[in-house]
Amino acid sequence: MGVLSWDCFLPILLVVGQQLCDSGSTADDCLQLHPPRVVVRHGDPVSVNCTVSTNHIGMGWAASVDDVPITTGVQFLTWRVESLTIWDLGPLCYANRPGKPQCMERLSVTVYKPPDSVSVSSVNSTDSMVEGSQYHLKCEIQNIAPVQNLTVKWYKGDTLVHEDRDYVIKVKKPEREKAPVSVSSILLITANRTANRTDDNVQYSCGAELDLGPEGPQPPLAVKSTPLRVTVHYKPTITPIATELHVIRGKSDVLNCSAKGNPPPDIVWIFNGQRLPTQDGIYTISETDDEGKYTCRANNYVGIHEKTLRVIFTDPKQTWILPVVVTLAVVAVLLFICCIYFWKRNRPRARLLAEAETEDYSGISFHNL
């Protein structure tokens, strides 16, 4: 019977080693990997040292790429790959000991890939939204790995508004599959203007973040989309106007109305249900117009806002009455204030004169006695 070579036993030992490693066991911790876990960008080089701490008759690396054959007379062995392009692999370092179980230690390898692209769009296929309505935005991330470490982040401006780990994977693969996949995430928003109600445009963006632990890139790898600018449309709001306008007969005056809205509203003055010739929110009142209620109406496709004022015509001869009454009232108040001031100012002097006269009289009477 011939003697079997060592090469005949090696496959058997690797199978046994595979089973032991899958069960999470090793032999006496006689092997140490430096580092024990690696995170590698797809296509980058990687190298790991395996050191044996016991006597052995040969050690090596079993791997699906660039394995290292069994070697004797060494205390460490390096597994090295110039360009790692395999997504799922678990290199195994092993050492054979005389009369003892084989030492084995499996290297944890994570191969990652940034996404080809990250984009955000409106599911409703519109760049404008009506204030108060709800819309769906979609974030699409193309070819990223490993998807198990992915978090989709949504931003409004620079503010993080939502984190999503329940995204949809476009092509389903086995759970342990680590190859790149494409995913999508949906965000439900309510269209509102900014707090100061001066900015009608809002920007939304999404980002793909891979958190690969302390061995991975720090800070975690993040790729952000180009912002989607959303225009918020809202109904007009008329700037406050006076409730009455007094117009002198024979003279002219203007009714002025302005409003803010998006899209810019159409502004018109209305009297007795009839539209008046209005330009830039201005209508000129003349002697041919009538007294009564005039309504400013601002409208766009989102809504309508109205405000009303009363126009009152006055005769020219009556126009002097109010200014005269106001002037007389002001003069009367000023005179009253002056009288009070001089009275308070002269009161101490009058008191001193009275006391002085009293003393003089008292002195004369005392002398005569």
Side-chain angles (χ1 to χ4, degrees), residues 19-234:
Q19 295 175 348
L20 291 174
C21 287
D22 288 343
S23 64
S25 63
T26 59
D28 304 332
D29 293 329
C30 55
L31 295 176
Q32 292 82 38
L33 301 181
H34 304 282
R37 178 176 182 262
V38 292
V39 176
V40 187
R41 182 168 178 154
H42 186 260
D44 280 1
V46 61
S47 64
V48 176
N49 287 331
C50 179
T51 303
V52 62
S53 58
T54 185
N55 293 329
H56 67 91
I57 56 176
M59 66 182 300
W61 280 92
S64 54
V65 58
D66 292 348
D67 60 337
V68 182
I70 190 166
T71 306
T72 59
V74 294
Q75 292 302 114
F76 72 90
L77 207 59
T78 302
W79 175 68
R80 181 180 290 106
V81 180
E82 295 300 327
S83 177
L84 187 57
T85 57
I86 296 178
W87 296 104
D88 193 0
L89 75 167
L92 178 70
C93 178
Y94 61 90
N96 299 316
R97 300 181 297 178
K100 293 184 179 181
Q102 185 183 46
C103 294
M104 289 167 290
E105 193 70 34
R106 184 171 296 279
L107 175 65
S108 173
V109 180
T110 300
V111 182
Y112 72 92
K113 176 189 175 297
D116 291 340
S117 65
V118 179
S119 61
V120 61
S121 61
S122 172
V123 177
N124 308 86
S125 300
T126 177
D127 291 334
S128 62
M129 301 180 179
V130 177
E131 185 176 31
S133 300
Q134 290 188 326
Y135 298 87
H136 290 90
L137 302 183
K138 177 189 285 188
C139 179
E140 294 186 285
I141 302 169
Q142 303 294 331
N143 296 325
I144 189 170
V147 71
Q148 295 85 353
N149 298 81
L150 171 66
T151 300
V152 180
K153 294 189 174 183
W154 283 93
Y155 299 87
K156 182 179 182 181
D158 294 326
T159 303
L160 176 65
V161 294
H162 182 61
E163 293 187 1
D164 185 11
R165 290 192 59 85
D166 295 326
Y167 36 76
V168 177
I169 300 176
K170 293 185 177 180
V171 179
K172 292 291 185 180
K173 295 185 177 182
E175 292 185 2
R176 297 187 64 181
E177 179 64 54
K178 298 181 180 179
V181 295
S182 297
V183 304
S184 63
S185 172
I186 299 295
L187 178 69
L188 177 64
I189 65 170
T190 300
N192 287 310
R193 287 175 281 170
T194 53
N196 57 15
R197 304 179 74 84
T198 59
D199 185 5
D200 305 331
N201 294 313
V202 180
Q203 290 186 344
Y204 285 92
S205 59
C206 65
E209 182 176 289
L210 282 177
D211 189 353
L212 300 167
E215 296 85 2
Q218 298 298 328
L221 176 68
V223 179
K224 201 172 181 181
S225 71
T226 300
L228 172 68
R229 184 178 294 274
V230 176
T231 301
V232 179
H233 286 177
Y234 53 93

Side-chain angles (χ1 to χ4, degrees), residues 234-246:
Y234 53 93
K235 69 179 184 179
T237 301
I238 296 176
T239 303
I241 58 178
T243 57
E244 289 185 353
L245 176 65
H246 294 264

Side-chain angles (χ1 to χ4, degrees), residues 4-25:
L4 296 177
S5 66
W6 176 251
D7 292 338
C8 295
F9 288 101
L10 179 57
I12 301 174
L13 293 175
L14 290 180
V15 171
V16 175
Q18 175 72 40
Q19 295 175 348
L20 291 174
C21 287
D22 288 343
S23 64
S25 63

